[in-house]
Amino acid sequence: SQELEQSPQSLIVQEGKNLTINCTSSKTLYGLYWYKQKYGEGLIFLMMLQKGGEEKSHEKITAKLDEKKQQSSLHITASQPSHAGIYLCGADMRTGNQFYFGTGTSLTVIP
Amino acid sequence: DAMVIQNPRYQVTQFGKPVTLSCSQTLNHNVMYWYQQKSSQAPKLLFHYYDKDFNNEADTPDNFQSRRPNTSFCFLDIRSPGLGDAAMYLCATPRTGPAGGYTFGSGTRLTVV
């Protein structure tokens, strides 16, 4: 069952443009994580959000958590080709130590 | 910070021939996870260990088994690999420290011929 849905599924943007990726959970979020994956490679941890309203930034990437909506958004400002890859949200499901991933968003940045 | 090491990086196996993938972590964390990631898909949780307690996801095929002989090591055994089992297999453990999150290994890419 897919408990974490990401949108859009794929995104193609011109370099320099801003973009937003959303992650929506069907269950209560206890911790929401964002990862990036270059094609064919391992996962890179970006950031973790735990509290409603929390917002974190890393370089040009900002993530927010809306606990009431069970949703998180990842915003990239002034995108660069180095931002290209697959972005995955992940969440703790406290019922039993499980950690699940969202459906993923593939980002292409055109120079 | 925990390091998760997966070996080998690439594995080629024959259809139906048992194969074992290995994972080790340096922080002796009590939780370890195995994920399967097929091309263009998100990683899918296969199972996880809490200490020696094995927790299988409901939709993980019986073809996949796991062993955890000690805290540091965890193995994924595929008893009879099929063509559909070709994928990247990722191992993970929770991170320590205030940043939180999970540390993933670089993965083993399995090819079935």
Side-chain angles (χ1 to χ4, degrees), chain A residues 96-98, chain B residues 46-50 53-57:
Chain A
N97 287 302
Q98 292 103 325
Chain B
L46 294 174
F47 29 66
H48 76 276
Y49 275 95
Y50 186 90
D53 290 337
F54 175 71
N55 299 274
N56 209 23
E57 290 298 296

Side-chain angles (χ1 to χ4, degrees), chain B:
Chain B
D1 221 11
M3 282 187 64
V4 180
I5 301 159
Q6 290 187 245
N7 287 302
R9 187 73 189 271
Y10 300 93
Q11 176 75 55
V12 180
T13 191
Q14 287 182 324
F15 183 95
K17 185 176 180 180
V19 65
T20 296
L21 310 181
S22 79
C23 176
S24 65
Q25 48 113 346
T26 61
L27 209 62
N28 290 326
H29 203 287
N30 55 3
V31 184
M32 291 183 77
Y33 302 87
W34 275 107
Y35 292 84
Q36 178 194 61
Q37 186 178 24
K38 295 188 177 180
S39 182
S40 303
Q41 295 182 21
K44 179 182 176 300
L45 181 63
L46 294 174
F47 29 66
H48 76 276
Y49 275 95
Y50 186 90
D51 289 328
K52 282 198 172 283
D53 290 337
F54 175 71
N55 299 274
N56 209 23
E57 290 298 296
D59 55 356
T60 298
D62 291 340
N63 197 25
F64 291 89
Q65 301 289 319
S66 184
R67 295 170 284 136
R68 191 177 188 186
N70 54 55
T71 305
S72 299
F73 284 88
C74 193
F75 299 101
L76 171 61
D77 300 310
I78 307 176
R79 293 194 293 192
S80 181
L83 297 178
D85 296 327
M88 173 79 90
Y89 290 87
L90 295 162
C91 177
T93 191
R95 290 156 58 104
T96 57
Y102 297 80
T103 299
F104 284 81
S106 52
T108 295
R109 183 166 294 282
L110 179 68
T111 301
V112 182
V113 298

Side-chain angles (χ1 to χ4, degrees), chain A residues 13-31:
Chain A
V13 300
Q14 200 78 38
E15 182 177 359
K17 295 293 186 185
N18 302 336
L19 62 105
T20 299
I21 298 168
N22 293 304
C23 174
T24 303
S25 173
S26 60
K27 295 184 177 180
T28 302
L29 292 170
Y30 293 99

Side-chain angles (χ1 to χ4, degrees), chain A:
Chain A
S1 63
Q2 198 56 60
E3 289 150 334
L4 285 172
E5 292 282 345
Q6 286 183 237
S7 62
Q9 188 176 0
S10 65
L11 201 50
I12 302 173
V13 300
Q14 200 78 38
E15 182 177 359
K17 295 293 186 185
N18 302 336
L19 62 105
T20 299
I21 298 168
N22 293 304
C23 174
T24 303
S25 173
S26 60
K27 295 184 177 180
T28 302
L29 292 170
Y30 293 99
L32 192 289
Y33 304 80
W34 283 100
Y35 286 85
K36 178 186 173 184
Q37 186 179 32
K38 291 278 191 182
Y39 297 104
E41 297 182 13
L43 296 162
I44 302 166
F45 174 70
L46 294 176
M47 56 193 87
M48 177 187 77
L49 304 164
Q50 281 190 306
K51 301 173 187 175
E54 188 173 13
E55 180 175 322
K56 286 187 178 177
S57 293
H58 174 69
E59 296 177 347
K60 293 185 178 180
I61 301 175
T62 301
K64 299 179 186 178
L65 178 63
D66 186 331
E67 204 170 54
K68 288 181 182 176
K69 291 185 181 177
Q70 296 179 173
Q71 187 176 65
S72 177
S73 59
L74 185 86
H75 185 76
I76 299 178
T77 305
S79 58
Q80 300 169 354
S82 60
H83 287 127
I86 299 169
Y87 287 82
L88 293 156
C89 64
D92 284 316
M93 299 298 174
R94 289 284 175 87
T95 53
N97 287 302
Q98 292 103 325
F99 180 75
Y100 295 113
F101 283 98
T103 46
T105 297
S106 173
L107 172 64
T108 302
V109 180
I110 301 171

